Amino acid sequence: PSLGNAWTGGGKVAGTAGRVFFTYAGRNASCSGNAVTSDNKSTVITAGHCVKLDGAWHTNWVFVPGYDDGDRPHGTWTARQTLTTPQWNAEEDLAYDVGAAVVNNVDGRRLVDVVGGQGIAFNQARSQRMYSFGYPAEAPYDGSALTYCKGLTVSDPLSGGIGMGCAMTGGSSGGPWFLSFDPASGTGIQNSVNSFKYNFLPTHMFGPYFGAHAQDLYWTAQSS
């Protein structure tokens, strides 16, 4: 397993995964996200708290695919709509901490036409070998590099989600978890996002189980 090393493998994930920037409570903040295949070719999947937190929607939301130490090789994509699950919207329930953004075109081109899109799946087995990616920005990281973890996931009885050994920190939230990830090509099937950690278990990251709630969100986003 990898618990949080810089991703040097390149491939598709180096373009579809990206850093998210927004304004929260009057200050600048960051998360992570991933471009997925979609009907509108403009859908980014992230965490619910990366679009809305403490009852307020974030503003000035942008997605920077392929972010690399300040470089923005594929441009900056502004959101025309951000969405989340009904459960996160109403109660900020960690079991449903999934968000999405539909981004505007850049120079007349759609996001997936520029960087590609990863597959996405729902209602899969909970215990599988997966890779997770993100841009951790809290010490010992600084948000400059795409970082990854890999290992066997476990079911989390407390949140209803899944967990994986991972040392990534704040800023990695919303980064994708992949089933069937091929490190040679950088392709996989997204099946969760980085969501939260328990204070008593800092070596593990947890994410929501992608069930019907996440599927409904995806369908709503891709048809927007």
Side-chain angles (χ1 to χ4, degrees):
S2 165
L3 296 181
N5 300 315
W7 176 251
T8 58
K12 192 173 186 178
V13 70
T16 64
R19 203 166 176 195
V20 171
F21 298 95
F22 52 86
T23 301
Y24 160 65
R27 62 181 178 85
N28 295 328
S30 70
C31 273
S32 304
N34 182 61
V36 294
T37 56
S38 54
D39 286 348
N40 59 19
K41 295 188 176 182
S42 301
T43 297
V44 176
I45 297 297
T46 185
H49 71 268
C50 294
V51 296
K52 183 181 181 183
L53 188 62
D54 297 331
W57 292 91
H58 304 325
T59 58
N60 304 317
W61 201 100
V62 300
F63 177 60
V64 184
Y67 182 92
D68 183 19
D69 196 18
D71 290 336
R72 303 185 178 209
H74 307 295
T76 300
W77 302 72
T78 58
R80 62 179 172 86
Q81 185 178 9
T82 52
L83 312 91
T84 189
T85 60
Q87 296 89 346
W88 182 264
N89 187 41
E91 300 177 355
E92 299 190 354
D93 185 337
L94 286 171
Y96 304 95
D97 185 17
V98 190
V102 180
V103 296
N104 293 306
N105 294 350
V106 171
D107 296 329
R109 302 180 69 191
R110 294 179 293 185
L111 175 65
V112 170
D113 291 332
V114 174
V115 302
Q118 302 280 5
I120 188 168
F122 309 93
N123 302 306
Q124 303 297 300
R126 287 174 174 266
S127 182
Q128 299 200 48
R129 296 200 175 275
M130 297 178 71
Y131 278 67
S132 66
F133 289 84
Y135 286 86
E138 294 180 355
Y141 303 96
D142 62 6
S144 63
L146 181 63
T147 302
Y148 80 103
C149 297
K150 66 176 180 178
L152 184 66
T153 59
V154 297
S155 186
D156 175 25
L158 296 179
S159 72
I162 53 178
M164 178 196 304
C166 188
M168 284 195 280
T169 59
S172 66
S173 291
W177 293 28
F178 294 111
L179 299 170
S180 305
F181 185 78
D182 177 14
S185 63
T187 58
I189 302 170
Q190 185 164 357
N191 195 231
S192 189
V193 295
N194 296 317
S195 174
F196 73 97
K197 287 185 157 187
Y198 292 110
N199 290 335
F200 61 82
L201 196 60
T203 58
H204 283 68
M205 179 74 72
F206 292 85
Y209 177 73
F210 270 20
H213 60 282
Q215 187 171 27
D216 289 345
L217 174 64
Y218 166 71
W219 280 105
T220 301
Q222 75 160 351
S223 62
S224 297

